[in-house]
């Protein structure tokens, strides 16, 4: 029973490891603590039932009872006996939590806070999986099937995320599953007795089975491939194993593609769209409003030292009745209706809507509405190809009403959250100068808004550096050159420094109007602006970007075009275009096209800069490829030169004067070193064999040199007398070098090699000659042989080290323990 208890506790631990992917859903680790308590109670109940030798059905009942006690202890209803014994009211409390979880699943986005209903649902599911895993592993002895309920836990974040889930929790769960399989294997072997290898040698209890070791290696390789393959293969990175929301500040040309709305870099994605030279149609909207404002889909309201960030939204289902916007004095409100058709080019977990929607149609319960951010988002679907309609309220504000709005009290949550500003001395000094003498919020905002004008030296340029950090804002205020990102973020920063809540909104400016209220919005209409909060009124838009530089720019009575002539008084909600400028120009006018591509709306910084030419990289890559392909040929040429350098100086007869012999001279023979002659013969023969391999001539290493030479004479070199003489000379020299006391000296081995090589090249086809020159088969064969030898030595050394380590393995002491 000890082995069963150990296996049961391993099954419980493996279940907790398999629940690791849930960490990507919850903000905190409360769920893990509660799940560990419940799973421990279930495992303890199973161990006690087995200790009492209960049948399988009795074990199941004991685990279910333990699951109930654990849930009662962790999620009490207040009517339990001794704080953990459930009552009928406890089960009614559990039912209420389950009912609440159905609605809360649609109300909260990733990551989920500690909500009792969702925590109860998660812990209940993990506890139920623990019961099933224990039954399959211990009761039925089918641990491999336990992977199915474990995989069911992993399917939860897969269903919640739009595109993908993190890979690391999957690896943790897979390790728990492998641990369960290994423990079951050890238990089976111990109950069976002795083990044997393929050679008949028995394997002790403390030794690892060779077959089991191979299985573990295969399992590890399988897990690694399952994780690494989707990350490495192009086109699969958005699949199951992709990391959600890289937030790296680079645009991919698809706004908000993938991930949860709070974990993706929407601004960087928009930057990719704005950088495209090709115009792509993204949205088609039809409205009965004569002069609509911007169609928005996102908000960046969290200001950090490195710039504005997107906060994780939360909300209620958007297909229910939405709250009507608050009306105030001096605020004119009119209700309109709009229909939106999103093309396949726009893929994000957000839906474009006009501000203050009050009713939606044709949307499922997966789409949620955040009343604070005024955005429609989803954690399960995306906007690609969506068609929907909605009613909305258009609010227009008079300057007098905004000027009469009181300042927010110090304890107001909006003021505390939306006025957080990192300390930047230059910005604070500028704000103090601008708002000096202003007594109300609107006048302060207008002073800041009016500051971003051509009269004050501000110009629009698409070639400036992107980013909204403190340094970026300081640079923008110093150079006074930027685009919509800098204007919107800088104004929001300055307004916050003045103690007034502000944020950056982004969406679409007005596109081309077909005349029936239908606007076509492209990637050139992507835009960012500022929204300011006024007490009793709400969020009011201000667009500080020069109107002439933005296609479809909208100005209003409370935020007029500061660069327009003074006699022009724009009506509320009207679109202002300077005199002499084509309304269809804007972002695509000639002056704008002459500038560099827009850096986009990426307020996280690190956006793309001026693109460098690509051809140097292609040239460098081509050169690197050529060098890599030339390595075998260079190696073959170096080897041939080294063998040729061993040419022997032939023996010679010279005359020399011998002292003491009355001037007589006699002949002295200068001999050649025998070892050097043998080395030269071996080098020439090795070169001959490599030449045969290069030209695909059969080489038989079991033949003697003379036999090989005669075979070549008969089969290959029949028609070339010089090559026949040369190959016989090479064979005779190698034979003498191997077997004779005195090697062959004074023979021209190198000319013989050249004649044989010339004959073989003349008989080979063009492809063989080309391969022999560029990719010599002899070099490739030598590399393969060397790699095989080194791999064999490595395997042998590893086996020896492993055998030595096994001698000190603590498991060997288990050999003498009796089986239970």
């Amino acid at each position: 029973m000890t082995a069963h208890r150990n296996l049961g506790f391993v099954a419980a631990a493996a279940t907790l490891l398999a629940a690791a992917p849930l960490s990507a859903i919850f903000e905190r680790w409360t769920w893990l603590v509660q799940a560990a308590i419940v799973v421990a109670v279930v495992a303890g109940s199973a161990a006690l039932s087995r200790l009492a030798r209960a049948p399988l059905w009795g074990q199941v009942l004991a685990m279910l009872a333990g699951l109930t006690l654990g849930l009662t202890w962790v999620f009490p209803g207040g009517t339990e006996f001794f704080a953990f014994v459930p009552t009928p009211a406890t089960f009614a409390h559990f039912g209420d939590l389950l009912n609440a979880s159905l609605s809360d699943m649609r109300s909260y986005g990733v990551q989920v806070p500690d909500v009792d209903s969702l925590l109860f649902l998660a812990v209940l599911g993990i506890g139920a999986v623990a019961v099933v895993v224990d039954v399959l592993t211990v009761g039925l002895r089918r641990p491999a099937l336990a992977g199915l309920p474990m995989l069911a836990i992993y399917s939860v974040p897969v269903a919640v995320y739009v595109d993908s889930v993190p890979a690391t929790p999957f690896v943790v769960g897979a390790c728990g599953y492998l641990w369960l399989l290994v423990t079951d294997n050890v238990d089976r072997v111990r109950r069976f007795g002795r083990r044997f290898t393929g050679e008949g040698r028995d394997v002790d209890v403390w030794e690892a089975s060779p077959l089991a070791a191979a299985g573990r290696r295969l399992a590890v390789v399988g897990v690694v491939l399952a994780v690494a393959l989707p990350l490495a293969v192009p086109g699969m990175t958005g699949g199951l194993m992709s990391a959600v929301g890289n937030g790296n500040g680079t645009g991919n040309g698809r706004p908000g593609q993938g991930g949860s709305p709070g974990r993706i870099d929407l601004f960087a994605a928009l930057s990719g769209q704005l950088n495209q030279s090709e115009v792509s149609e993204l949205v088609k909207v039809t409205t009965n409003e004569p002069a609509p404002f911007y169609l928005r889909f996102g908000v960046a309201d969290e200001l950090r030292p490195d710039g504005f960030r997107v906060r994780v939204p939360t909300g209620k289902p958007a297909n229910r009745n939405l709250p009507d916007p608050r009306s105030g004095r001096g605020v004119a409100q009119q209700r309109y209706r709009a229909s939106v058709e999103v093309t396949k080019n726009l893929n994000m977990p957000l839906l474009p809507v006009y501000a203050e929607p009050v009713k939606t149609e044709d949307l499922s319960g997966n789409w949620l509405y955040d009343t604070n951010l005024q955005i429609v988002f989803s954690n399960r679907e995306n906007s690609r190809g969506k068609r929907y309609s909605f009613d909305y309220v258009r609010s227009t504000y008079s300057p007098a009403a905004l000027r009469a709005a009181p300042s927010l009290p110090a304890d107001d949550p909006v003021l505390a959250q939306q006025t957080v500003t990192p300390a930047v001395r230059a910005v604070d000094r500028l704000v103090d100068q601008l708002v000096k003498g202003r007594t109300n919020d609107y006048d302060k905002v207008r002073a800041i808004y009016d500051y971003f004008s051509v009269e004050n030296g501000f110009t629009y340029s698409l070639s400036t550096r992107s980013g909204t950090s403190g340094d970026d804002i300081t640079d923008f205020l110093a150079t006074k050159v930027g685009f919509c990102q800098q204007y919107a973020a800088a104004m929001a920063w300055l307004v916050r420094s003045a103690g007034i809540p502000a944020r950056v909104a982004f969406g679409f400016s007005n596109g081309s109007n077909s005349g029936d209220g239908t606007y076509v919005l492209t990637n050139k209409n992507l835009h960012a602006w500022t929204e300011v909060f006024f007490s009793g009124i709400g969020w009011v838009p201000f667009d500080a970007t020069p109107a002439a530089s933005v296609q479809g720019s909208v100005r209003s009575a409370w935020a007029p075009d500061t660069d327009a002539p003074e006699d022009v008084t724009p009506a509320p909600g009207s679109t202002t275009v300077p005199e002499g400028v084509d309304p269809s120009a804007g972002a695509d006018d000639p002056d704008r096209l002459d500038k560099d591509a827009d850096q986009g709306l990426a307020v996280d910084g690190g956006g793309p800069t001026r693109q460098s030419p690509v051809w140097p990289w292609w040239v460098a890559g081509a050169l690197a490829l050529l060098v890599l392909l030339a390595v075998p040929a260079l190696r073959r040429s170096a080897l041939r030169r080294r063998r040729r350098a061993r040419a022997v100086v032939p023996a010679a007869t010279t005359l020399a004067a011998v002292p003491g012999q009355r001037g007589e001279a006699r002949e002295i023979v200068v001999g050649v070193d025998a070892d050097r002659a043998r080395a030269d013969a071996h080098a020439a023969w090795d070169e001959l064999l490599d030449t045969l391999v290069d030209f695909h001539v059969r080489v038989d290493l079991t033949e003697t040199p003379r036999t090989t030479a005669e075979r070549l004479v008969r089969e290959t070199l029949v028609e070339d007398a010089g090559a026949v003489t040369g190959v016989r000379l090479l064979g005779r020299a190698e034979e003498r070098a191997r077997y004779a006391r005195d090697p062959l000296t004074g023979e021209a081995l190198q000319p013989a090699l050249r004649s044989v090589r010339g004959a073989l090249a003349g008989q080979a086809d063009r492809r063989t000659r080309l391969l022999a020159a560029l990719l010599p088969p002899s070099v490739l064969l030598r590399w393969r042989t060397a790699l095989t030898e080194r791999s064999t030595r490595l395997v042998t050394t590893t086996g020896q080290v492993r055998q030595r380590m096994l001698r000190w393995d603590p498991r060997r002491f288990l050999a003498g323990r009796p089986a239970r």
Side-chain angles (χ1 to χ4, degrees):
M1 299 302 294
T2 302
H4 282 181
R5 289 200 298 271
N6 293 338
L7 188 59
F9 287 123
V10 172
T15 302
L16 289 177
L17 293 178
L22 295 181
S23 61
I25 297 180
F26 291 94
E27 288 182 354
R28 302 177 182 177
W29 295 94
T30 307
W31 67 273
L32 181 59
V33 176
Q34 296 175 341
I37 295 174
V38 173
V39 172
V41 175
V42 171
S45 303
L48 292 176
S49 64
R50 296 188 187 101
L51 188 62
R53 299 185 182 276
L56 181 58
W57 61 268
Q59 299 175 19
V60 175
L61 292 179
M63 286 186 286
L64 292 178
L67 176 61
T68 304
L69 293 177
L71 292 174
T72 304
W73 187 21
V74 176
F75 301 96
T79 59
E80 295 77 18
F81 294 110
F82 305 107
F84 62 88
V85 179
T87 62
T90 303
F91 293 101
H93 172 61
F94 290 167
D96 294 338
L97 290 177
L98 288 176
N99 292 331
S101 65
L102 298 178
S103 60
D104 289 340
M105 282 190 298
R106 302 178 181 272
S107 302
Y108 291 94
V110 179
Q111 293 182 349
V112 178
D114 289 342
V115 182
D116 287 340
S117 59
L118 298 180
L119 289 175
F120 176 79
L121 184 63
V123 174
L124 175 62
I126 296 174
V129 170
V131 174
V132 177
V133 170
D134 189 279
V135 171
L136 293 174
T137 303
V138 184
L140 302 178
R141 300 313 302 265
R142 296 291 185 271
L145 296 179
L148 295 178
M150 293 181 180
L151 189 62
I153 300 179
Y154 184 73
S155 64
V156 174
V158 173
V160 170
Y161 276 94
V162 177
D163 286 324
S164 57
V165 296
T168 303
F170 172 77
V171 177
V172 175
C175 292
Y177 180 58
L178 294 179
W179 181 23
L180 181 62
L181 295 180
V182 170
T183 305
D184 177 75
N185 175 68
V186 173
D187 178 66
R188 288 177 181 271
V189 170
R190 286 176 177 174
R191 291 190 298 110
F192 177 78
R194 309 292 293 180
R195 295 174 295 166
F196 302 92
T197 64
E199 297 85 8
R201 181 179 66 85
D202 62 323
V203 181
D204 209 341
V205 175
W206 56 271
E207 290 188 76
S209 170
L211 186 59
R216 286 193 295 269
R217 286 193 291 267
L218 290 176
V220 172
V221 171
V223 173
V224 172
L225 290 178
V227 175
L229 184 61
L231 297 176
V233 176
M236 297 180 67
T237 55
L240 194 62
M241 295 292 105
S242 297
V244 177
N246 51 19
N248 56 5
T250 59
N252 58 5
R254 296 183 181 277
Q257 183 176 3
S260 171
R263 305 186 69 180
I264 57 178
D265 192 347
L266 293 175
F267 288 134
L270 289 178
S271 175
Q273 283 281 359
L274 289 171
N275 285 329
Q276 292 183 0
S277 59
E278 180 181 353
V279 178
S280 300
E281 181 179 330
L282 301 181
V283 176
K284 182 182 295 184
V285 56
T286 302
T287 178
N288 57 358
E289 183 180 1
F293 195 67
Y294 298 150
L295 189 71
R296 63 199 297 278
F297 56 75
V299 170
D301 63 347
E302 184 177 0
L303 181 56
R304 301 179 183 178
D306 58 346
F308 280 91
R309 298 294 183 94
V310 179
R311 191 184 304 273
V312 177
T314 59
K316 299 295 183 179
N319 58 357
R320 301 178 184 176
N321 291 331
L322 303 180
D324 285 335
R326 182 187 305 175
S327 60
R329 296 181 56 186
V331 179
Q333 294 180 319
Q334 182 69 34
R335 184 162 176 164
Y336 297 100
R337 182 173 177 82
S339 298
V340 177
E341 179 181 350
V342 182
T343 68
K344 295 182 179 181
N345 297 324
L346 186 62
N347 185 11
M348 61 180 180
L350 301 165
L351 290 181
V353 293
Y354 289 114
E356 302 176 329
V358 294
K359 181 182 178 182
T360 64
E361 296 179 1
D362 304 324
L363 291 180
S364 65
N366 294 332
W367 290 98
L368 311 177
Y369 179 70
D370 191 316
T371 56
N372 295 323
L373 301 179
Q374 298 175 332
I375 63 172
V376 179
F377 68 97
S378 176
N379 295 315
R380 301 184 179 183
E381 299 185 29
N382 55 62
S383 61
R384 185 177 184 181
K386 288 291 182 182
R387 295 186 179 183
Y388 53 96
S389 302
F390 60 95
D391 295 346
Y392 66 98
V393 173
R394 171 66 188 280
S395 300
T396 54
Y397 315 94
S398 64
L402 297 177
R403 189 173 287 109
S407 300
L408 292 172
D411 58 349
D412 189 277
V414 177
L415 181 68
Q417 183 185 62
Q418 302 297 329
T419 56
V420 176
T421 306
V424 179
R425 185 173 302 178
V427 174
D428 295 338
R429 288 199 303 264
L430 176 61
V431 171
D432 292 340
Q433 296 175 2
L434 294 177
V435 302
K436 185 178 180 179
R438 270 70 175 183
T439 58
N440 58 79
D441 290 349
Y442 175 70
D443 288 340
K444 295 178 182 179
V445 174
R446 274 300 304 269
I448 297 173
Y449 174 79
D450 295 339
Y451 175 71
F452 298 100
S453 63
V454 175
E455 183 180 355
N456 291 326
F458 283 89
T459 58
Y460 190 92
S461 176
L462 303 176
S463 59
T464 57
R465 175 185 175 186
S466 63
T468 60
S469 65
D471 295 336
D472 296 325
I473 295 299
T474 303
D475 294 340
F476 170 66
L477 295 176
T479 60
K480 298 184 178 182
V481 177
F483 52 100
C484 58
Q485 171 185 328
Q486 278 86 14
Y487 280 95
M491 180 178 175
W493 193 307
L494 267 61
V495 171
R496 285 191 174 202
S497 297
I500 304 172
R503 64 190 184 186
V504 178
F506 50 96
F508 296 92
S509 62
N510 286 338
S512 59
N513 189 357
S514 60
D516 57 351
T518 300
Y519 296 85
V520 178
L521 309 179
T522 68
N523 54 325
K524 297 302 181 180
N525 294 112
L526 292 171
H527 188 48
W529 61 95
T530 307
E531 293 181 345
V532 182
F533 189 85
F534 289 89
S535 178
I537 295 178
W539 293 99
V540 179
F542 289 82
D543 188 1
T545 308
S549 303
V550 179
Q551 179 181 358
S553 176
V554 175
R555 292 298 184 265
S556 56
W558 66 90
D561 187 1
T562 57
D563 301 322
E566 295 181 357
D567 56 347
V568 177
T569 303
S574 62
T575 301
T576 62
V577 179
E579 183 178 356
V581 178
D582 185 4
S584 62
D588 295 328
D589 60 27
D591 294 336
R592 185 167 186 168
L593 293 177
D594 290 338
K595 295 180 171 59
D596 296 335
D598 190 4
Q599 299 296 327
L601 306 176
V603 298
D604 288 338
T609 56
R610 186 189 299 268
Q611 186 177 5
S612 59
V614 181
W615 66 266
W617 294 101
W618 285 102
V619 173
L623 292 177
L625 181 60
L626 292 177
V627 171
L628 183 62
L629 293 176
V631 169
L634 295 176
R635 173 62 178 168
R636 183 73 176 90
S637 177
L639 186 60
R640 186 180 297 114
R641 285 197 304 270
R642 186 168 66 249
R643 290 167 176 171
R644 189 182 302 118
R646 294 176 179 175
V648 179
V649 178
T653 301
T654 61
L655 296 176
V658 180
Q661 298 296 331
R662 292 179 294 179
E664 297 179 357
R666 65 175 181 175
E667 294 182 356
I668 299 177
V669 177
V670 181
V672 179
D673 186 13
D675 293 337
R676 177 67 181 274
R678 286 192 176 90
D680 292 339
H682 293 328
W685 185 255
D686 291 340
E687 179 63 23
L688 174 64
L689 295 182
D690 285 349
T691 302
L692 296 178
V693 173
D694 291 341
F695 289 101
H696 299 168
V697 179
R698 182 173 63 89
V699 176
D700 189 353
L701 298 179
T702 62
E703 296 177 339
T704 63
R706 180 181 297 183
T707 304
T708 300
E710 295 300 327
R711 177 173 58 81
L712 293 176
V713 170
R714 292 193 310 270
E715 298 178 357
T716 309
L717 307 174
V718 180
E719 300 178 357
D720 194 324
V724 169
T725 303
V727 75
R728 284 176 175 171
L729 173 61
L730 294 173
R732 187 167 66 254
E734 176 65 13
E735 187 178 42
R736 291 280 299 273
R738 290 185 185 182
Y739 311 119
R741 181 185 300 271
D742 298 324
L744 187 64
T745 59
E747 299 293 343
L749 300 181
Q750 293 302 320
L753 274 174
R754 286 194 294 269
S755 62
V756 175
R757 182 177 181 86
L760 294 176
Q763 297 178 10
D765 54 18
R766 181 179 302 176
R767 180 177 180 274
T768 303
R769 292 195 301 269
L770 185 62
L771 290 178
L774 300 180
L775 294 174
S778 60
V779 175
L780 302 181
L781 177 61
R782 185 174 287 104
W783 286 350
R784 288 196 299 268
T785 304
L787 180 61
T788 302
E789 293 176 354
R790 292 178 183 176
S791 300
T792 303
R793 286 198 299 269
L794 180 61
V795 172
T796 303
T797 304
T798 305
Q800 293 174 354
V801 173
R802 182 172 174 272
Q803 290 296 330
R804 293 174 182 175
M805 294 179 63
L806 287 176
R807 296 177 183 177
W808 303 99
D809 196 322
R811 292 182 295 176
R812 64 190 180 89
F813 296 108
L814 300 176
R817 293 180 57 183
R820 296 185 179 181

